[in-house]
Amino acid sequence: MTNSTPRLTGRALRLTVFVGESDQYQHKPVYTEIVHRAHRAGLAGASVFKGIEGFGASSLVHTQRLLSLSEDLPVAVVIVDTEERVRAFLPELDELVDKGLVLLDDCEVVTYTGRERDA
């Protein structure tokens, strides 16, 4: 892993991993483990988005609405980096994602800038 912010512009690959909010890996949320492994792998970045309603392979609708509280809302982890780096990261998901959906999309990075770290 490098300490400098990677430069990323042009053609890239977007990795999106859909899991349930309650999915666990060694007593931690799967989405948290994915983010931390992506960080250790030196990928350009990872973000987690919590869904308010959805269903997947189980066909059960999970929702945030007050009258039907769910403890397993959909969560999407999105990672964008070069195709080579994203594909090299895929084996990490084999261990982590036993229920879910993993997608790869070609994309184009127009702007990728970060904040300066406080000294």
Side-chain angles (χ1 to χ4, degrees), residues 5-8 38-39 41-46 79-82 85-86 109 112:
T5 303
R7 298 286 176 214
L8 182 64
H39 185 256
L43 292 173
I79 298 169
V80 177
D81 208 317
T82 65
R85 292 168 65 83
V86 169
V109 175
Y112 175 66

Side-chain angles (χ1 to χ4, degrees), residues 98-117:
D98 60 350
K99 299 179 296 188
L101 176 66
V102 177
L103 299 175
L104 292 174
D105 299 296
D106 289 320
C107 62
E108 181 180 354
V109 175
V110 177
T111 304
Y112 175 66
T113 58
R115 295 185 205 125
E116 295 296 321
R117 289 185 181 208

Side-chain angles (χ1 to χ4, degrees), residues 23-97:
D23 293 351
Q24 298 279 305
Y25 176 79
Q26 295 184 352
H27 310 293
K28 293 184 282 191
V30 167
Y31 61 85
T32 297
E33 186 66 17
I34 293 169
V35 168
H36 287 270
R37 287 188 185 199
H39 185 256
R40 283 194 304 269
L43 292 173
S47 297
V48 178
F49 301 93
K50 182 177 177 180
I52 58 172
E53 190 165 7
F55 72 93
S58 70
S59 294
L60 296 173
V61 175
H62 302 279
T63 182
Q64 183 176 311
R65 285 182 275 161
L66 188 58
L67 295 178
S68 69
L69 293 175
S70 175
E71 295 180 6
D72 196 25
L73 293 170
V75 174
V77 182
V78 179
I79 298 169
V80 177
D81 208 317
T82 65
E83 180 173 358
E84 178 183 5
R85 292 168 65 83
V86 169
R87 288 195 184 277
F89 184 70
L90 291 177
E92 296 281 346
L93 300 178
D94 290 340
E95 182 181 358
L96 299 174
V97 179

